Amino acid sequence: MKIFETHAHYDDRAFREDRDRLLKKMNEEGVEYIVNIGCSMDSSRKITELVTQYDFLYGTVGVHPDDVKDLTEEDMGELEALSQRDKILAIGEIGLDYHYDDVERDVQKKWFVRQLAIAKQQELPVVIHSRDAAKDTLDIMKAEYDGKKGGVIHCFSYGVEMAREYLDRGYYLGIGGVVTFKNGRKLKEVVEYAPLDQMVLETDSPYLAPVPFRGKRNCSLYLTYVAEEIAGIKQVPVEEVLEITFHNARKLYKL
Ligand code: NI
């Protein structure tokens, strides 16, 4: 069994006690690649160090929309430099999040556009976070990112119509624990609709653990539960889901 984890946050303090042991254990048990996703300047810095310690660990750098409030142009210079470091595969997670509306929408848009420019400049794919901001995200992606290097819409949370917009433009959809939730119907419909060769598996660890671990700390080994759910929806063997999504993830991140 080979698993490709496309989106996790092992730099998070939830893993401070057992990070090293857990990372090694997951790798021994079949998680062949892990991409650790940046969400702030601080995590982006940490990740460029963390990836040097494990063969199977790769990273991305970027600032999550919840964290863009105090960004400066100087930060963008640093982010661009960090994106050129070894084993950094993409810019992300970047995007728009109108769920809590903690950060003004115009401020979020400004830094989303700015980070997309870095991705274009560095010819890197993007990891997109978009929550309750479907139209603005798509409009900006269309206007500001040609998509030549592609990317993934992480933790895809919209319906089939919006999925089609991204699939038609060659993006991957990141599918995680939510697909196993009782109230995950919308995502199950998207999984039914989308081709398997445009999906990748992700946990968003430490968050969003699948059933039967819902509410607990997530980890990449639980991706088998996500794969099983997808296999059930698509009516294919779970091995096929793991195999195809593994291949997709390598294409997405150019590995
Ligand atoms: Ni995330």
Side-chain angles (χ1 to χ4, degrees):
M1 187 179 67
K2 291 196 310 183
I3 296 174
F4 196 129
E5 159 73 279
T6 62
H7 191 121
H9 301 278
Y10 288 113
D11 58 300
D12 191 281
R13 56 196 305 276
F15 300 103
R16 68 191 181 285
E17 308 259 315
D18 61 348
R19 179 178 300 114
D20 184 60
R21 193 161 47 89
L22 183 66
L23 283 168
K24 285 175 180 156
K25 174 178 172 277
M26 290 188 297
N27 185 236
E28 278 160 19
E29 293 184 17
V31 182
E32 238 175 82
Y33 292 95
I34 295 174
V35 180
N36 199 95
I37 305 291
C39 54
S40 62
M41 286 306 299
D42 199 39
S43 72
S44 298
R45 288 179 199 116
K46 269 196 231 156
I47 287 163
T48 56
E49 293 303 318
L50 195 61
V51 296
T52 64
Q53 295 169 34
Y54 306 90
D55 286 352
F56 53 89
L57 192 69
Y58 292 78
T60 71
V61 295
V63 181
H64 184 289
D66 285 349
D67 234 307
V68 295
K69 199 153 54 182
D70 300 319
L71 282 181
T72 63
E73 253 319 297
E74 198 184 339
D75 290 325
M76 292 300 100
E78 186 184 354
L79 196 70
E80 185 153 11
L82 290 172
S83 77
Q84 296 165 31
R85 300 273 287 267
D86 273 357
K87 299 175 81 185
I88 298 302
L89 306 177
I91 300 295
E93 55 190 288
I94 59 173
L96 301 174
D97 193 325
Y98 296 166
H99 189 70
Y100 297 111
D101 257 334
D102 283 345
V103 182
E104 274 183 59
R105 295 180 179 189
D106 282 347
V107 175
Q108 293 191 35
K109 287 182 197 171
K110 173 187 164 181
W111 294 110
F112 181 30
V113 169
R114 183 66 185 87
Q115 294 182 87
L116 286 172
I118 294 176
K120 278 200 288 192
Q121 176 72 28
Q122 296 300 322
E123 302 196 340
L124 289 168
V126 287
V127 178
I128 302 297
H129 172 104
S130 178
R131 190 176 185 198
D132 296 347
K135 184 180 183 303
D136 284 358
T137 307
L138 183 64
D139 287 350
I140 288 176
M141 294 292 286
K142 283 196 216 167
E144 304 291 341
Y145 188 69
D146 56 18
K148 258 188 227 141
K149 294 291 160 184
V152 56
I153 315 303
H154 135 72
C155 196
F156 191 80
S157 59
Y158 302 127
V160 165
E161 290 292 302
M162 194 51 66
R164 179 187 301 138
E165 296 278 358
Y166 287 108
L167 293 167
D168 284 353
R169 290 175 172 78
Y171 291 101
Y172 292 93
L173 305 183
I175 311 294
V178 175
V179 78
T180 68
F181 295 176
K182 271 212 177 74
N183 56 358
R185 238 236 338 253
K186 195 161 71 165
L187 184 59
K188 291 181 212 272
E189 283 169 15
V190 167
V191 167
E192 197 176 348
Y193 168 77
L196 201 46
D197 60 14
Q198 276 183 277
M199 286 181 216
V200 292
L201 303 181
E202 59 169 42
T203 58
D204 209 18
S205 293
Y207 311 108
L208 295 174
V211 173
F213 304 104
R214 190 171 181 180
K216 304 241 166 65
R217 189 181 74 166
N218 204 353
C219 90
S220 305
L221 289 169
Y222 300 165
L223 282 174
T224 52
Y225 295 89
V226 175
E228 268 167 30
E229 188 72 32
I230 295 173
I233 295 167
K234 297 303 236 185
Q235 308 207 338
V236 297
V238 66
E239 294 76 18
E240 194 174 320
V241 173
L242 290 170
E243 165 106 34
I244 292 174
T245 55
F246 189 93
H247 178 74
N248 298 343
R250 290 189 62 166
K251 271 172 72 179
L252 160 66
Y253 286 127
K254 290 33 178 204
L255 274 173

